[in-house]
Amino acid sequence: MSTSEPDCPGGGPPPLGERRLVLVAAVALVDVDGRVLIAQRPAGKSMAGLWEFPGGKVDAGETPEQALVRELHEELGIETATSCLAPIAFASHGYETFHLLMPVFACRKWLGTPQSREGQALRWVMPMELSRYPMPPADVPLVGLLRDLL
């Protein structure tokens, strides 16, 4: 182990400083054909037009899994259980005004058909095609990982 700074590309995220830490959970819903559901951020929201994995902020008193069960019901009208969510990755990304920490789960079992309940466009995409969709900076590193895992 070296006592000097490692020579890694990118330098990592800047120190947290005055920015707040935001915990958001996301899920790769995988259908029977191996496709992953992505949602386009609607107009009027930050990063509008970019594609992302379903999910949302983890509220006080919630685990990331509980937040996803709630968010999937609210955003897509589907039901799943925390036991159906398998942790597969996480993203840590420093934005200008906050730092995002995002555990990512895979889910292959749910009840109902995902439908847009918040005005977002939805698309089922093969993992190899995910890189064709512009995504928020925190989601971009997940694309290659999901392609290899799924």
Side-chain angles (χ1 to χ4, degrees), residues 25 27 54-59 62 64-78 117-118 120:
V27 64
K57 287 184 182 173
V58 178
D59 290 339
E62 282 185 320
E65 294 89 343
Q66 290 168 330
L68 284 174
V69 169
R70 175 182 52 76
E71 289 282 350
L72 290 173
H73 173 75
E74 291 172 3
E75 290 182 8
L76 302 174
I78 61 173
R117 291 178 131 188
E118 297 183 345
Q120 74 277 41

Short mmCIF file of all heavy atoms in Angstrom, two decimals, residues 25 27 54-59 62 64-78 117-118 120:
data_model
loop_
_atom_site.label_atom_id
_atom_site.label_comp_id
_atom_site.label_asym_id
_atom_site.label_seq_id
_atom_site.Cartn_x
_atom_site.Cartn_y
_atom_site.Cartn_z
N ALA A 25 -32.69 5.43 -4.37
CA ALA A 25 -32.62 4.03 -4.77
C ALA A 25 -33.15 3.89 -6.19
O ALA A 25 -34.09 4.58 -6.59
CB ALA A 25 -33.42 3.16 -3.81
N VAL A 27 -33.85 0.89 -9.59
CA VAL A 27 -34.05 -0.52 -9.88
C VAL A 27 -33.98 -0.78 -11.38
O VAL A 27 -34.46 0.03 -12.18
CB VAL A 27 -35.41 -1.02 -9.30
CG1 VAL A 27 -36.58 -0.32 -9.97
CG2 VAL A 27 -35.54 -2.53 -9.40
N PRO A 54 -35.99 3.44 -12.96
CA PRO A 54 -37.03 3.84 -12.01
C PRO A 54 -36.51 3.84 -10.57
O PRO A 54 -35.62 3.07 -10.22
CB PRO A 54 -38.11 2.77 -12.20
CG PRO A 54 -37.88 2.21 -13.56
CD PRO A 54 -36.39 2.29 -13.76
N GLY A 55 -37.10 4.70 -9.76
CA GLY A 55 -36.73 4.78 -8.35
C GLY A 55 -36.98 6.17 -7.83
O GLY A 55 -37.70 6.95 -8.43
N GLY A 56 -36.35 6.48 -6.70
CA GLY A 56 -36.53 7.80 -6.13
C GLY A 56 -35.87 7.92 -4.78
O GLY A 56 -35.18 7.02 -4.32
N LYS A 57 -36.10 9.07 -4.16
CA LYS A 57 -35.49 9.38 -2.87
C LYS A 57 -35.95 8.42 -1.79
O LYS A 57 -37.11 8.01 -1.76
CB LYS A 57 -35.82 10.81 -2.43
CG LYS A 57 -35.07 11.86 -3.23
CD LYS A 57 -35.36 13.24 -2.70
CE LYS A 57 -34.63 14.27 -3.57
NZ LYS A 57 -34.99 15.64 -3.20
N VAL A 58 -35.01 8.09 -0.91
CA VAL A 58 -35.30 7.27 0.26
C VAL A 58 -35.74 8.22 1.37
O VAL A 58 -34.99 9.10 1.77
CB VAL A 58 -34.07 6.45 0.69
CG1 VAL A 58 -34.37 5.63 1.93
CG2 VAL A 58 -33.59 5.55 -0.46
N ASP A 59 -36.98 8.08 1.82
CA ASP A 59 -37.52 8.94 2.88
C ASP A 59 -36.98 8.52 4.24
O ASP A 59 -36.56 7.36 4.43
CB ASP A 59 -39.05 8.88 2.89
CG ASP A 59 -39.69 9.56 1.69
OD1 ASP A 59 -39.03 10.41 1.05
OD2 ASP A 59 -40.85 9.24 1.39
N GLU A 62 -37.13 4.88 5.99
CA GLU A 62 -37.24 3.84 4.97
C GLU A 62 -35.87 3.22 4.68
O GLU A 62 -34.85 3.90 4.75
CB GLU A 62 -37.71 4.43 3.63
CG GLU A 62 -39.16 4.72 3.52
CD GLU A 62 -39.53 5.18 2.11
OE1 GLU A 62 -38.78 5.96 1.48
OE2 GLU A 62 -40.61 4.79 1.66
N PRO A 64 -33.67 1.47 1.49
CA PRO A 64 -33.74 1.64 0.03
C PRO A 64 -34.75 0.68 -0.61
O PRO A 64 -35.46 1.07 -1.54
CB PRO A 64 -32.31 1.34 -0.43
CG PRO A 64 -31.46 1.74 0.73
CD PRO A 64 -32.27 1.32 1.95
N GLU A 65 -34.83 -0.53 -0.09
CA GLU A 65 -35.78 -1.49 -0.65
C GLU A 65 -37.22 -1.03 -0.44
O GLU A 65 -38.05 -1.13 -1.34
CB GLU A 65 -35.58 -2.88 -0.02
CG GLU A 65 -34.25 -3.52 -0.37
CD GLU A 65 -33.12 -3.16 0.60
OE1 GLU A 65 -33.24 -2.17 1.36
OE2 GLU A 65 -32.11 -3.86 0.60
N GLN A 66 -37.53 -0.54 0.77
CA GLN A 66 -38.88 -0.04 1.03
C GLN A 66 -39.21 1.16 0.15
O GLN A 66 -40.33 1.29 -0.34
CB GLN A 66 -39.01 0.35 2.51
CG GLN A 66 -39.00 -0.84 3.44
CD GLN A 66 -38.83 -0.42 4.90
OE1 GLN A 66 -38.20 0.59 5.21
NE2 GLN A 66 -39.40 -1.21 5.80
N ALA A 67 -38.22 2.02 -0.06
CA ALA A 67 -38.43 3.18 -0.93
C ALA A 67 -38.77 2.72 -2.35
O ALA A 67 -39.66 3.29 -2.99
CB ALA A 67 -37.19 4.07 -0.94
N LEU A 68 -38.08 1.69 -2.84
CA LEU A 68 -38.36 1.21 -4.20
C LEU A 68 -39.76 0.60 -4.31
O LEU A 68 -40.46 0.83 -5.30
CB LEU A 68 -37.31 0.20 -4.65
CG LEU A 68 -35.98 0.82 -5.06
CD1 LEU A 68 -34.95 -0.26 -5.35
CD2 LEU A 68 -36.15 1.74 -6.25
N VAL A 69 -40.17 -0.17 -3.31
CA VAL A 69 -41.52 -0.73 -3.34
C VAL A 69 -42.53 0.40 -3.44
O VAL A 69 -43.47 0.36 -4.24
CB VAL A 69 -41.77 -1.62 -2.10
CG1 VAL A 69 -43.25 -1.99 -1.98
CG2 VAL A 69 -40.91 -2.88 -2.18
N ARG A 70 -42.35 1.45 -2.64
CA ARG A 70 -43.24 2.61 -2.66
C ARG A 70 -43.18 3.33 -4.01
O ARG A 70 -44.21 3.64 -4.62
CB ARG A 70 -42.87 3.58 -1.52
CG ARG A 70 -43.68 4.88 -1.53
CD ARG A 70 -43.25 5.83 -0.41
NE ARG A 70 -41.84 6.10 -0.34
CZ ARG A 70 -41.16 6.92 -1.17
NH1 ARG A 70 -41.79 7.54 -2.16
NH2 ARG A 70 -39.86 7.11 -1.02
N GLU A 71 -41.97 3.63 -4.46
CA GLU A 71 -41.79 4.37 -5.72
C GLU A 71 -42.35 3.60 -6.92
O GLU A 71 -42.95 4.19 -7.82
CB GLU A 71 -40.32 4.69 -5.95
CG GLU A 71 -39.75 5.75 -5.02
CD GLU A 71 -40.14 7.16 -5.41
OE1 GLU A 71 -40.69 7.38 -6.50
OE2 GLU A 71 -39.88 8.07 -4.60
N LEU A 72 -42.15 2.29 -6.96
CA LEU A 72 -42.67 1.50 -8.09
C LEU A 72 -44.19 1.54 -8.12
O LEU A 72 -44.79 1.58 -9.19
CB LEU A 72 -42.15 0.07 -8.02
CG LEU A 72 -40.66 -0.09 -8.30
CD1 LEU A 72 -40.21 -1.52 -8.04
CD2 LEU A 72 -40.32 0.34 -9.72
N HIS A 73 -44.81 1.54 -6.95
CA HIS A 73 -46.27 1.67 -6.90
C HIS A 73 -46.69 3.06 -7.36
O HIS A 73 -47.60 3.20 -8.20
CB HIS A 73 -46.77 1.39 -5.49
CG HIS A 73 -48.23 1.65 -5.32
ND1 HIS A 73 -49.21 0.81 -5.83
CD2 HIS A 73 -48.89 2.68 -4.75
CE1 HIS A 73 -50.39 1.31 -5.57
NE2 HIS A 73 -50.23 2.44 -4.91
N GLU A 74 -46.05 4.11 -6.83
CA GLU A 74 -46.44 5.49 -7.15
C GLU A 74 -46.16 5.85 -8.60
O GLU A 74 -46.99 6.46 -9.26
CB GLU A 74 -45.67 6.47 -6.24
CG GLU A 74 -46.08 6.43 -4.79
CD GLU A 74 -45.19 7.27 -3.89
OE1 GLU A 74 -44.26 7.95 -4.40
OE2 GLU A 74 -45.40 7.26 -2.68
N GLU A 75 -44.97 5.49 -9.11
CA GLU A 75 -44.55 5.91 -10.45
C GLU A 75 -45.08 5.02 -11.56
O GLU A 75 -45.36 5.50 -12.65
CB GLU A 75 -43.02 5.90 -10.55
CG GLU A 75 -42.32 6.97 -9.76
CD GLU A 75 -40.81 6.94 -9.95
OE1 GLU A 75 -40.33 6.18 -10.82
OE2 GLU A 75 -40.12 7.66 -9.23
N LEU A 76 -45.17 3.71 -11.29
CA LEU A 76 -45.47 2.76 -12.37
C LEU A 76 -46.72 1.92 -12.13
O LEU A 76 -47.12 1.16 -13.01
CB LEU A 76 -44.27 1.83 -12.58
CG LEU A 76 -42.95 2.50 -12.91
CD1 LEU A 76 -41.82 1.48 -12.95
CD2 LEU A 76 -43.04 3.25 -14.22
N GLY A 77 -47.31 1.99 -10.93
CA GLY A 77 -48.51 1.23 -10.65
C GLY A 77 -48.29 -0.26 -10.53
O GLY A 77 -49.22 -1.05 -10.76
N ILE A 78 -47.09 -0.68 -10.16
CA ILE A 78 -46.82 -2.11 -9.99
C ILE A 78 -46.51 -2.40 -8.53
O ILE A 78 -46.14 -1.50 -7.76
CB ILE A 78 -45.66 -2.61 -10.89
CG1 ILE A 78 -44.35 -1.90 -10.57
CG2 ILE A 78 -46.04 -2.45 -12.37
CD1 ILE A 78 -43.14 -2.46 -11.32
N ARG A 117 -47.26 6.95 -14.57
CA ARG A 117 -48.22 7.63 -13.70
C ARG A 117 -47.79 9.07 -13.41
O ARG A 117 -48.51 9.79 -12.76
CB ARG A 117 -48.38 6.88 -12.38
CG ARG A 117 -49.06 5.55 -12.53
CD ARG A 117 -49.13 4.86 -11.20
NE ARG A 117 -50.49 4.38 -10.96
CZ ARG A 117 -50.89 3.87 -9.82
NH1 ARG A 117 -50.09 3.77 -8.80
NH2 ARG A 117 -52.13 3.45 -9.69
N GLU A 118 -46.59 9.45 -13.87
CA GLU A 118 -46.07 10.79 -13.57
C GLU A 118 -45.63 11.53 -14.84
O GLU A 118 -44.77 12.40 -14.78
CB GLU A 118 -44.93 10.69 -12.56
CG GLU A 118 -45.38 10.13 -11.22
CD GLU A 118 -44.28 10.09 -10.18
OE1 GLU A 118 -43.09 10.23 -10.53
OE2 GLU A 118 -44.61 9.93 -9.00
N GLN A 120 -43.91 10.47 -17.38
CA GLN A 120 -42.63 10.07 -17.98
C GLN A 120 -42.85 9.04 -19.09
O GLN A 120 -43.74 8.20 -18.99
CB GLN A 120 -41.68 9.52 -16.90
CG GLN A 120 -42.00 8.13 -16.36
CD GLN A 120 -43.04 8.07 -15.25
OE1 GLN A 120 -44.05 8.76 -15.29
NE2 GLN A 120 -42.83 7.20 -14.28
#
